[in-house]
Amino acid sequence: MRIQVRSIWLALGLLSLTACASAVPPSRMADYLGPQAITEPSVLHLPTERPIHAGLVVIADASAPDAAPPPPDEAVNRLAQTLKEQIGQHLPIVIDKILPADGLKPAGDIASFRELGKRYGVDYLAVAVLSSTEQEYPIYVFLGWTAHMQPGFRRDNWSLIEVALIDVNAGRALLRAEGRAWATLDSPSAPGINQWYPVVYLRPQDPERRFWPPTFEGAPNTLRVVSMNQAAKRLILSLQDAWLHKLRTEMNPAQG
């Protein structure tokens, strides 16, 4: 009976943790575009000429109070290329160019994004905001497949990618979607077991899939890249759903 009760409490605890993680980190899109701009008014429809040609700007945000450091610039650039390709493959949207994010701040005003789009001659701009948060706490790490343990630490990373497709001329968002992911880094407190640690794995969706960072010092960056890449995969699915929902709403406004 005690085992059953304990199992129930563990299950409830996992559900509670998962529910909390679903809102971590919080959305940052309104901090950049403003709450009014990301509201999707029913009068603003998707363009009839498709595919939609747009620019893409990717912002690695670390301005929130509990924000983790962003992935390295090289990883952000690779992610921008991946988003460009995946959006083009799965949606009737062609990303013609990737625009620089220099000078874009969380000012809560879409004006700077409209200026960016007009400067580069695009009528539509896909704005992607990357954000994440982390926590670190002590654990015991197992040595290989044995029962021996030694002190270590675990770092959890929750990543979020938000995308808004904005009409540069109208100054409003046509479409919004997000993708979230959670990954974990386990490391020993002392060196000497490099054949097993540090290791990054996905939680809770695929805990058996592991990634070994190339260096101990660079392990936190590997964690952030793995987590953000998983968020990108979920973003594309969410973006497809948002597109279909938008189409259904336009065909039958009563269902919106």
Side-chain angles (χ1 to χ4, degrees):
M1 181 66 180
R2 290 181 178 178
I3 294 177
Q4 291 179 343
V5 171
R6 183 181 179 185
S7 298
I8 292 173
W9 278 110
L10 287 174
L12 290 175
L14 179 59
L15 288 173
S16 175
L17 182 60
T18 303
C20 291
S22 66
V24 176
S27 172
R28 299 290 295 156
M29 188 62 76
D31 295 273
Y32 281 89
L33 299 183
Q36 184 178 4
I38 60 176
T39 301
E40 299 177 12
S42 58
V43 296
L44 199 58
H45 293 288
L46 292 169
T48 56
E49 293 186 8
R50 296 166 191 164
I52 301 171
H53 288 265
L56 169 67
V57 60
V58 178
I59 303 168
D61 176 75
S63 61
D66 297 327
D73 291 343
E74 182 180 352
V76 173
N77 292 336
R78 287 197 305 266
L79 183 58
Q81 289 292 337
T82 298
L83 291 177
K84 174 184 176 181
E85 295 169 3
Q86 291 295 309
I87 289 174
Q89 289 178 11
H90 297 284
L91 291 152
I93 301 174
V94 175
I95 302 298
D96 293 318
K97 57 187 76 174
I98 298 175
L99 312 186
D102 302 338
L104 296 176
K105 305 295 183 182
D109 188 357
I110 200 173
S112 57
F113 293 88
R114 297 182 69 189
E115 292 173 4
L116 178 68
K118 292 177 180 179
R119 189 186 320 146
Y120 285 89
V122 296
D123 293 326
Y124 300 94
L125 180 62
V127 179
V129 179
L130 321 181
S131 59
S132 67
T133 189
E134 295 178 355
Q135 68 171 359
E136 188 174 279
Y137 47 95
I139 61 168
Y140 282 92
V141 296
F142 287 93
L143 306 184
W145 301 106
T146 71
H148 298 291
M149 299 183 298
Q150 81 170 47
F153 61 88
R154 171 169 291 170
R155 179 178 297 197
D156 291 321
N157 175 284
W158 291 273
S159 291
L160 169 64
I161 303 180
E162 303 170 83
V163 167
L165 179 65
I166 66 171
D167 184 321
V168 172
N169 296 314
R172 290 290 184 274
L174 294 169
L175 205 64
R176 289 184 62 207
E178 67 175 38
R180 294 178 178 271
W182 175 16
T184 290
L185 167 67
D186 285 356
S187 300
S189 298
I193 53 174
N194 295 340
Q195 65 268 42
W196 297 303
Y197 296 97
V199 61
V200 174
Y201 59 93
L202 303 177
R203 297 182 65 196
Q205 64 272 28
D206 191 3
E208 297 304 319
R209 186 180 179 191
R210 302 183 179 187
F211 304 82
W212 278 269
T215 65
F216 191 92
E217 295 76 13
N221 280 334
T222 300
L223 169 69
R224 293 159 193 150
V225 171
V226 168
S227 184
M228 199 64 74
N229 286 342
Q230 291 299 312
K233 294 179 181 179
R234 296 184 175 188
L235 166 71
I236 298 302
L237 295 175
S238 178
L239 199 54
Q240 287 179 303
D241 289 341
W243 176 273
L244 293 175
H245 176 74
K246 182 71 173 177
L247 289 179
R248 287 194 296 266
T249 301
E250 291 180 0
M251 289 186 293
N252 189 353
Q255 295 182 357

